[in-house]
PDB file of all heavy atoms in Angstrom:
ATOM      1  N   PRO A  28       0.820  -1.229   0.000  1.00 84.00           N
ATOM      2  CA  PRO A  28       0.000   0.000   0.000  1.00 84.00           C
ATOM      3  C   PRO A  28       0.846   1.267   0.000  1.00 84.00           C
ATOM      4  O   PRO A  28       0.533   2.232  -0.707  1.00 84.00           O
ATOM      5  CB  PRO A  28      -0.833  -0.134   1.283  1.00 84.00           C
ATOM      6  CG  PRO A  28      -0.931  -1.604   1.522  1.00 84.00           C
ATOM      7  CD  PRO A  28       0.400  -2.156   1.082  1.00 84.00           C
ATOM      8  N   LEU A  29       1.929   1.281   0.780  1.00 89.00           N
ATOM      9  CA  LEU A  29       2.819   2.438   0.825  1.00 89.00           C
ATOM     10  C   LEU A  29       3.550   2.601  -0.500  1.00 89.00           C
ATOM     11  O   LEU A  29       3.579   3.703  -1.069  1.00 89.00           O
ATOM     12  CB  LEU A  29       3.827   2.285   1.959  1.00 89.00           C
ATOM     13  CG  LEU A  29       4.929   3.367   2.038  1.00 89.00           C
ATOM     14  CD1 LEU A  29       4.327   4.736   2.316  1.00 89.00           C
ATOM     15  CD2 LEU A  29       5.962   3.002   3.106  1.00 89.00           C
ATOM     16  N   TYR A  30       4.125   1.511  -1.031  1.00 90.00           N
ATOM     17  CA  TYR A  30       4.894   1.600  -2.272  1.00 90.00           C
ATOM     18  C   TYR A  30       3.995   1.996  -3.442  1.00 90.00           C
ATOM     19  O   TYR A  30       4.393   2.799  -4.292  1.00 90.00           O
ATOM     20  CB  TYR A  30       5.580   0.259  -2.579  1.00 90.00           C
ATOM     21  CG  TYR A  30       6.433  -0.290  -1.455  1.00 90.00           C
ATOM     22  CD1 TYR A  30       6.670  -1.662  -1.330  1.00 90.00           C
ATOM     23  CD2 TYR A  30       6.988   0.551  -0.501  1.00 90.00           C
ATOM     24  CE1 TYR A  30       7.447  -2.160  -0.304  1.00 90.00           C
ATOM     25  CE2 TYR A  30       7.773   0.055   0.539  1.00 90.00           C
ATOM     26  CZ  TYR A  30       7.983  -1.313   0.634  1.00 90.00           C
ATOM     27  OH  TYR A  30       8.739  -1.819   1.666  1.00 90.00           O
ATOM     28  N   GLY A  31       2.791   1.436  -3.485  1.00 88.00           N
ATOM     29  CA  GLY A  31       1.868   1.771  -4.570  1.00 88.00           C
ATOM     30  C   GLY A  31       1.460   3.230  -4.551  1.00 88.00           C
ATOM     31  O   GLY A  31       1.378   3.885  -5.594  1.00 88.00           O
ATOM     32  N   ASP A  32       1.190   3.774  -3.360  1.00 89.00           N
ATOM     33  CA  ASP A  32       0.793   5.170  -3.238  1.00 89.00           C
ATOM     34  C   ASP A  32       1.945   6.103  -3.608  1.00 89.00           C
ATOM     35  O   ASP A  32       1.742   7.105  -4.309  1.00 89.00           O
ATOM     36  CB  ASP A  32       0.312   5.463  -1.818  1.00 89.00           C
ATOM     37  CG  ASP A  32      -0.182   6.894  -1.652  1.00 89.00           C
ATOM     38  OD1 ASP A  32      -1.226   7.222  -2.258  1.00 89.00           O
ATOM     39  OD2 ASP A  32       0.479   7.681  -0.957  1.00 89.00           O
ATOM     40  N   MET A  33       3.154   5.779  -3.153  1.00 91.00           N
ATOM     41  CA  MET A  33       4.307   6.610  -3.487  1.00 91.00           C
ATOM     42  C   MET A  33       4.592   6.564  -4.987  1.00 91.00           C
ATOM     43  O   MET A  33       4.968   7.575  -5.594  1.00 91.00           O
ATOM     44  CB  MET A  33       5.538   6.150  -2.693  1.00 91.00           C
ATOM     45  CG  MET A  33       5.423   6.354  -1.190  1.00 91.00           C
ATOM     46  SD  MET A  33       5.208   8.075  -0.701  1.00 91.00           S
ATOM     47  CE  MET A  33       6.833   8.742  -1.058  1.00 91.00           C
ATOM     48  N   SER A  34       4.384   5.403  -5.589  1.00 92.00           N
ATOM     49  CA  SER A  34       4.553   5.282  -7.032  1.00 92.00           C
ATOM     50  C   SER A  34       3.562   6.174  -7.776  1.00 92.00           C
ATOM     51  O   SER A  34       3.931   6.865  -8.734  1.00 92.00           O
ATOM     52  CB  SER A  34       4.371   3.828  -7.465  1.00 92.00           C
ATOM     53  OG  SER A  34       4.400   3.698  -8.874  1.00 92.00           O
ATOM     54  N   SER A  35       2.309   6.180  -7.333  1.00 91.00           N
ATOM     55  CA  SER A  35       1.290   7.025  -7.965  1.00 91.00           C
ATOM     56  C   SER A  35       1.663   8.501  -7.873  1.00 91.00           C
ATOM     57  O   SER A  35       1.435   9.274  -8.809  1.00 91.00           O
ATOM     58  CB  SER A  35      -0.073   6.794  -7.308  1.00 91.00           C
ATOM     59  OG  SER A  35      -0.521   5.505  -7.494  1.00 91.00           O
ATOM     60  N   ARG A  36       2.247   8.910  -6.752  1.00 92.00           N
ATOM     61  CA  ARG A  36       2.657  10.296  -6.581  1.00 92.00           C
ATOM     62  C   ARG A  36       3.786  10.667  -7.544  1.00 92.00           C
ATOM     63  O   ARG A  36       3.780  11.748  -8.134  1.00 92.00           O
ATOM     64  CB  ARG A  36       3.089  10.545  -5.134  1.00 92.00           C
ATOM     65  CG  ARG A  36       1.966  10.330  -4.122  1.00 92.00           C
ATOM     66  CD  ARG A  36       2.408  10.644  -2.710  1.00 92.00           C
ATOM     67  NE  ARG A  36       1.349  10.337  -1.751  1.00 92.00           N
ATOM     68  CZ  ARG A  36       1.151  10.979  -0.614  1.00 92.00           C
ATOM     69  NH1 ARG A  36       1.940  11.967  -0.263  1.00 92.00           N
ATOM     70  NH2 ARG A  36       0.169  10.634   0.203  1.00 92.00           N
ATOM     71  N   VAL A  37       4.747   9.741  -7.699  1.00 94.00           N
ATOM     72  CA  VAL A  37       5.858   9.992  -8.617  1.00 94.00           C
ATOM     73  C   VAL A  37       5.338  10.105 -10.047  1.00 94.00           C
ATOM     74  O   VAL A  37       5.706  11.030 -10.781  1.00 94.00           O
ATOM     75  CB  VAL A  37       6.918   8.877  -8.508  1.00 94.00           C
ATOM     76  CG1 VAL A  37       7.958   9.024  -9.623  1.00 94.00           C
ATOM     77  CG2 VAL A  37       7.608   8.915  -7.148  1.00 94.00           C
ATOM     78  N   MET A  38       4.481   9.175 -10.453  1.00 92.00           N
ATOM     79  CA  MET A  38       3.949   9.187 -11.819  1.00 92.00           C
ATOM     80  C   MET A  38       3.090  10.429 -12.074  1.00 92.00           C
ATOM     81  O   MET A  38       3.081  10.979 -13.176  1.00 92.00           O
ATOM     82  CB  MET A  38       3.135   7.911 -12.096  1.00 92.00           C
ATOM     83  CG  MET A  38       3.922   6.610 -11.902  1.00 92.00           C
ATOM     84  SD  MET A  38       5.484   6.585 -12.821  1.00 92.00           S
ATOM     85  CE  MET A  38       6.339   5.189 -12.059  1.00 92.00           C
ATOM     86  N   GLY A  39       2.378  10.870 -11.060  1.00 92.00           N
ATOM     87  CA  GLY A  39       1.594  12.096 -11.187  1.00 92.00           C
ATOM     88  C   GLY A  39       2.463  13.311 -11.434  1.00 92.00           C
ATOM     89  O   GLY A  39       2.091  14.215 -12.211  1.00 92.00           O
ATOM     90  N   ILE A  40       3.629  13.354 -10.807  1.00 93.00           N
ATOM     91  CA  ILE A  40       4.570  14.457 -11.031  1.00 93.00           C
ATOM     92  C   ILE A  40       5.118  14.406 -12.459  1.00 93.00           C
ATOM     93  O   ILE A  40       5.238  15.435 -13.126  1.00 93.00           O
ATOM     94  CB  ILE A  40       5.717  14.398 -10.006  1.00 93.00           C
ATOM     95  CG1 ILE A  40       5.177  14.649  -8.591  1.00 93.00           C
ATOM     96  CG2 ILE A  40       6.803  15.412 -10.340  1.00 93.00           C
ATOM     97  CD1 ILE A  40       6.190  14.404  -7.486  1.00 93.00           C
ATOM     98  N   LEU A  41       5.426  13.216 -12.946  1.00 93.00           N
ATOM     99  CA  LEU A  41       5.969  13.073 -14.294  1.00 93.00           C
ATOM    100  C   LEU A  41       4.989  13.574 -15.349  1.00 93.00           C
ATOM    101  O   LEU A  41       5.400  14.129 -16.370  1.00 93.00           O
ATOM    102  CB  LEU A  41       6.321  11.602 -14.569  1.00 93.00           C
ATOM    103  CG  LEU A  41       7.483  11.027 -13.745  1.00 93.00           C
ATOM    104  CD1 LEU A  41       7.705   9.557 -14.103  1.00 93.00           C
ATOM    105  CD2 LEU A  41       8.764  11.817 -13.955  1.00 93.00           C
ATOM    106  N   GLU A  42       3.700  13.388 -15.107  1.00 90.00           N
ATOM    107  CA  GLU A  42       2.686  13.841 -16.054  1.00 90.00           C
ATOM    108  C   GLU A  42       2.615  15.357 -16.147  1.00 90.00           C
ATOM    109  O   GLU A  42       1.995  15.892 -17.075  1.00 90.00           O
ATOM    110  CB  GLU A  42       1.326  13.259 -15.666  1.00 90.00           C
ATOM    111  CG  GLU A  42       1.232  11.746 -15.880  1.00 90.00           C
ATOM    112  CD  GLU A  42      -0.049  11.151 -15.341  1.00 90.00           C
ATOM    113  OE1 GLU A  42      -0.807  11.903 -14.669  1.00 90.00           O
ATOM    114  OE2 GLU A  42      -0.298   9.947 -15.560  1.00 90.00           O
ATOM    115  N   GLN A  43       3.248  16.062 -15.205  1.00 91.00           N
ATOM    116  CA  GLN A  43       3.302  17.521 -15.263  1.00 91.00           C
ATOM    117  C   GLN A  43       4.346  18.015 -16.261  1.00 91.00           C
ATOM    118  O   GLN A  43       4.321  19.179 -16.656  1.00 91.00           O
ATOM    119  CB  GLN A  43       3.606  18.088 -13.872  1.00 91.00           C
ATOM    120  CG  GLN A  43       2.560  17.762 -12.822  1.00 91.00           C
ATOM    121  CD  GLN A  43       2.957  18.249 -11.447  1.00 91.00           C
ATOM    122  OE1 GLN A  43       3.991  18.904 -11.265  1.00 91.00           O
ATOM    123  NE2 GLN A  43       2.147  17.927 -10.441  1.00 91.00           N
ATOM    124  N   PHE A  44       5.254  17.142 -16.662  1.00 91.00           N
ATOM    125  CA  PHE A  44       6.344  17.545 -17.538  1.00 91.00           C
ATOM    126  C   PHE A  44       6.087  17.220 -19.014  1.00 91.00           C
ATOM    127  O   PHE A  44       6.663  17.845 -19.889  1.00 91.00           O
ATOM    128  CB  PHE A  44       7.648  16.884 -17.082  1.00 91.00           C
ATOM    129  CG  PHE A  44       8.186  17.450 -15.792  1.00 91.00           C
ATOM    130  CD1 PHE A  44       7.822  16.902 -14.576  1.00 91.00           C
ATOM    131  CD2 PHE A  44       9.046  18.531 -15.804  1.00 91.00           C
ATOM    132  CE1 PHE A  44       8.306  17.426 -13.381  1.00 91.00           C
ATOM    133  CE2 PHE A  44       9.543  19.070 -14.620  1.00 91.00           C
ATOM    134  CZ  PHE A  44       9.157  18.511 -13.404  1.00 91.00           C
ATOM    135  N   THR A  45       5.254  16.231 -19.271  1.00 89.00           N
ATOM    136  CA  THR A  45       4.882  15.873 -20.641  1.00 89.00           C
ATOM    137  C   THR A  45       3.604  15.041 -20.605  1.00 89.00           C
ATOM    138  O   THR A  45       3.404  14.255 -19.664  1.00 89.00           O
ATOM    139  CB  THR A  45       6.000  15.089 -21.350  1.00 89.00           C
ATOM    140  OG1 THR A  45       5.539  14.667 -22.641  1.00 89.00           O
ATOM    141  CG2 THR A  45       6.413  13.879 -20.556  1.00 89.00           C
ATOM    142  N   PRO A  46       2.744  15.180 -21.611  1.00 87.00           N
ATOM    143  CA  PRO A  46       1.525  14.367 -21.626  1.00 87.00           C
ATOM    144  C   PRO A  46       1.775  12.919 -22.028  1.00 87.00           C
ATOM    145  O   PRO A  46       0.919  12.058 -21.801  1.00 87.00           O
ATOM    146  CB  PRO A  46       0.650  15.075 -22.663  1.00 87.00           C
ATOM    147  CG  PRO A  46       1.619  15.770 -23.575  1.00 87.00           C
ATOM    148  CD  PRO A  46       2.775  16.181 -22.703  1.00 87.00           C
ATOM    149  N   ASP A  47       2.939  12.652 -22.605  1.00 88.00           N
ATOM    150  CA  ASP A  47       3.244  11.311 -23.093  1.00 88.00           C
ATOM    151  C   ASP A  47       4.093  10.556 -22.067  1.00 88.00           C
ATOM    152  O   ASP A  47       5.324  10.645 -22.061  1.00 88.00           O
ATOM    153  CB  ASP A  47       3.975  11.385 -24.434  1.00 88.00           C
ATOM    154  CG  ASP A  47       3.126  12.061 -25.511  1.00 88.00           C
ATOM    155  OD1 ASP A  47       1.975  11.666 -25.689  1.00 88.00           O
ATOM    156  OD2 ASP A  47       3.624  13.012 -26.155  1.00 88.00           O
ATOM    157  N   VAL A  48       3.417   9.829 -21.188  1.00 89.00           N
ATOM    158  CA  VAL A  48       4.078   9.070 -20.127  1.00 89.00           C
ATOM    159  C   VAL A  48       3.641   7.613 -20.217  1.00 89.00           C
ATOM    160  O   VAL A  48       2.450   7.310 -20.259  1.00 89.00           O
ATOM    161  CB  VAL A  48       3.745   9.631 -18.729  1.00 89.00           C
ATOM    162  CG1 VAL A  48       4.403   8.777 -17.643  1.00 89.00           C
ATOM    163  CG2 VAL A  48       4.192  11.080 -18.612  1.00 89.00           C
ATOM    164  N   GLU A  49       4.604   6.708 -20.242  1.00 90.00           N
ATOM    165  CA  GLU A  49       4.341   5.275 -20.212  1.00 90.00           C
ATOM    166  C   GLU A  49       4.869   4.710 -18.904  1.00 90.00           C
ATOM    167  O   GLU A  49       6.080   4.642 -18.686  1.00 90.00           O
ATOM    168  CB  GLU A  49       5.007   4.564 -21.392  1.00 90.00           C
ATOM    169  CG  GLU A  49       4.837   3.044 -21.369  1.00 90.00           C
ATOM    170  CD  GLU A  49       5.748   2.322 -22.337  1.00 90.00           C
ATOM    171  OE1 GLU A  49       6.135   2.941 -23.364  1.00 90.00           O
ATOM    172  OE2 GLU A  49       6.097   1.159 -22.076  1.00 90.00           O
ATOM    173  N   VAL A  50       3.972   4.328 -18.004  1.00 88.00           N
ATOM    174  CA  VAL A  50       4.382   3.716 -16.735  1.00 88.00           C
ATOM    175  C   VAL A  50       4.874   2.309 -17.035  1.00 88.00           C
ATOM    176  O   VAL A  50       4.088   1.427 -17.381  1.00 88.00           O
ATOM    177  CB  VAL A  50       3.222   3.699 -15.723  1.00 88.00           C
ATOM    178  CG1 VAL A  50       3.678   3.044 -14.423  1.00 88.00           C
ATOM    179  CG2 VAL A  50       2.704   5.113 -15.466  1.00 88.00           C
ATOM    180  N   TYR A  51       6.163   2.097 -16.910  1.00 88.00           N
ATOM    181  CA  TYR A  51       6.765   0.830 -17.294  1.00 88.00           C
ATOM    182  C   TYR A  51       6.733  -0.184 -16.152  1.00 88.00           C
ATOM    183  O   TYR A  51       6.571  -1.378 -16.375  1.00 88.00           O
ATOM    184  CB  TYR A  51       8.197   1.059 -17.763  1.00 88.00           C
ATOM    185  CG  TYR A  51       8.861  -0.174 -18.330  1.00 88.00           C
ATOM    186  CD1 TYR A  51       8.416  -0.731 -19.531  1.00 88.00           C
ATOM    187  CD2 TYR A  51       9.914  -0.787 -17.667  1.00 88.00           C
ATOM    188  CE1 TYR A  51       9.014  -1.872 -20.053  1.00 88.00           C
ATOM    189  CE2 TYR A  51      10.519  -1.919 -18.172  1.00 88.00           C
ATOM    190  CZ  TYR A  51      10.066  -2.458 -19.369  1.00 88.00           C
ATOM    191  OH  TYR A  51      10.663  -3.594 -19.872  1.00 88.00           O
ATOM    192  N   SER A  52       6.900   0.294 -14.933  1.00 88.00           N
ATOM    193  CA  SER A  52       6.817  -0.560 -13.751  1.00 88.00           C
ATOM    194  C   SER A  52       6.485   0.328 -12.561  1.00 88.00           C
ATOM    195  O   SER A  52       6.262   1.531 -12.714  1.00 88.00           O
ATOM    196  CB  SER A  52       8.130  -1.318 -13.526  1.00 88.00           C
ATOM    197  OG  SER A  52       9.168  -0.434 -13.155  1.00 88.00           O
ATOM    198  N   ILE A  53       6.469  -0.241 -11.379  1.00 88.00           N
ATOM    199  CA  ILE A  53       6.096   0.521 -10.190  1.00 88.00           C
ATOM    200  C   ILE A  53       7.083   1.647  -9.912  1.00 88.00           C
ATOM    201  O   ILE A  53       6.713   2.669  -9.306  1.00 88.00           O
ATOM    202  CB  ILE A  53       5.985  -0.404  -8.952  1.00 88.00           C
ATOM    203  CG1 ILE A  53       5.303   0.334  -7.780  1.00 88.00           C
ATOM    204  CG2 ILE A  53       7.353  -0.953  -8.549  1.00 88.00           C
ATOM    205  CD1 ILE A  53       4.977  -0.559  -6.605  1.00 88.00           C
ATOM    206  N   ASP A  54       8.325   1.516 -10.393  1.00 90.00           N
ATOM    207  CA  ASP A  54       9.337   2.518 -10.061  1.00 90.00           C
ATOM    208  C   ASP A  54      10.013   3.161 -11.261  1.00 90.00           C
ATOM    209  O   ASP A  54      11.027   3.850 -11.103  1.00 90.00           O
ATOM    210  CB  ASP A  54      10.398   1.904  -9.144  1.00 90.00           C
ATOM    211  CG  ASP A  54      11.181   0.782  -9.809  1.00 90.00           C
ATOM    212  OD1 ASP A  54      10.725   0.265 -10.858  1.00 90.00           O
ATOM    213  OD2 ASP A  54      12.263   0.416  -9.292  1.00 90.00           O
ATOM    214  N   GLU A  55       9.484   2.968 -12.459  1.00 92.00           N
ATOM    215  CA  GLU A  55      10.092   3.607 -13.623  1.00 92.00           C
ATOM    216  C   GLU A  55       9.049   3.902 -14.695  1.00 92.00           C
ATOM    217  O   GLU A  55       8.028   3.227 -14.809  1.00 92.00           O
ATOM    218  CB  GLU A  55      11.227   2.752 -14.202  1.00 92.00           C
ATOM    219  CG  GLU A  55      10.834   1.366 -14.624  1.00 92.00           C
ATOM    220  CD  GLU A  55      12.025   0.543 -15.104  1.00 92.00           C
ATOM    221  OE1 GLU A  55      12.966   1.129 -15.686  1.00 92.00           O
ATOM    222  OE2 GLU A  55      11.998  -0.693 -14.931  1.00 92.00           O
ATOM    223  N   ALA A  56       9.345   4.927 -15.484  1.00 93.00           N
ATOM    224  CA  ALA A  56       8.421   5.348 -16.539  1.00 93.00           C
ATOM    225  C   ALA A  56       9.206   5.970 -17.691  1.00 93.00           C
ATOM    226  O   ALA A  56      10.238   6.618 -17.483  1.00 93.00           O
ATOM    227  CB  ALA A  56       7.401   6.351 -15.998  1.00 93.00           C
ATOM    228  N   PHE A  57       8.695   5.762 -18.896  1.00 94.00           N
ATOM    229  CA  PHE A  57       9.238   6.416 -20.085  1.00 94.00           C
ATOM    230  C   PHE A  57       8.477   7.713 -20.338  1.00 94.00           C
ATOM    231  O   PHE A  57       7.249   7.773 -20.174  1.00 94.00           O
ATOM    232  CB  PHE A  57       9.115   5.516 -21.317  1.00 94.00           C
ATOM    233  CG  PHE A  57      10.088   4.373 -21.356  1.00 94.00           C
ATOM    234  CD1 PHE A  57       9.683   3.093 -21.053  1.00 94.00           C
ATOM    235  CD2 PHE A  57      11.409   4.592 -21.711  1.00 94.00           C
ATOM    236  CE1 PHE A  57      10.567   2.035 -21.097  1.00 94.00           C
ATOM    237  CE2 PHE A  57      12.315   3.541 -21.753  1.00 94.00           C
ATOM    238  CZ  PHE A  57      11.900   2.260 -21.444  1.00 94.00           C
ATOM    239  N   LEU A  58       9.200   8.739 -20.768  1.00 93.00           N
ATOM    240  CA  LEU A  58       8.605  10.003 -21.167  1.00 93.00           C
ATOM    241  C   LEU A  58       9.007  10.301 -22.604  1.00 93.00           C
ATOM    242  O   LEU A  58      10.155  10.042 -22.997  1.00 93.00           O
ATOM    243  CB  LEU A  58       9.080  11.154 -20.273  1.00 93.00           C
ATOM    244  CG  LEU A  58       8.470  11.318 -18.867  1.00 93.00           C
ATOM    245  CD1 LEU A  58       8.847  10.147 -17.969  1.00 93.00           C
ATOM    246  CD2 LEU A  58       8.950  12.619 -18.237  1.00 93.00           C
ATOM    247  N   GLN A  59       8.087  10.805 -23.392  1.00 91.00           N
ATOM    248  CA  GLN A  59       8.406  11.220 -24.749  1.00 91.00           C
ATOM    249  C   GLN A  59       8.228  12.719 -24.869  1.00 91.00           C
ATOM    250  O   GLN A  59       7.215  13.278 -24.433  1.00 91.00           O
ATOM    251  CB  GLN A  59       7.520  10.502 -25.773  1.00 91.00           C
ATOM    252  CG  GLN A  59       7.928  10.764 -27.226  1.00 91.00           C
ATOM    253  CD  GLN A  59       7.148   9.926 -28.216  1.00 91.00           C
ATOM    254  OE1 GLN A  59       6.107   9.360 -27.885  1.00 91.00           O
ATOM    255  NE2 GLN A  59       7.647   9.813 -29.442  1.00 91.00           N
TER     256      GLN A  59
END
């Protein structure tokens, strides 16, 4: 529950930098 919530927060921040975000795993994401 803690790791999943923290992951969601990180991914939410990444979406502020570009609309093209691919969540690859719980701790990494691709941005275009």
Side-chain angles (χ1 to χ4, degrees):
L29 174 64
Y30 306 154
D32 183 67
M33 294 299 289
S34 174
S35 296
R36 298 183 184 211
V37 171
M38 302 308 166
I40 294 171
L41 293 179
E42 291 173 353
Q43 298 176 4
F44 289 90
T45 175
D47 299 309
V48 178
E49 177 193 333
V50 179
Y51 186 67
S52 68
I53 192 172
D54 64 344
E55 58 184 327
F57 286 103
L58 282 66
Q59 187 173 16

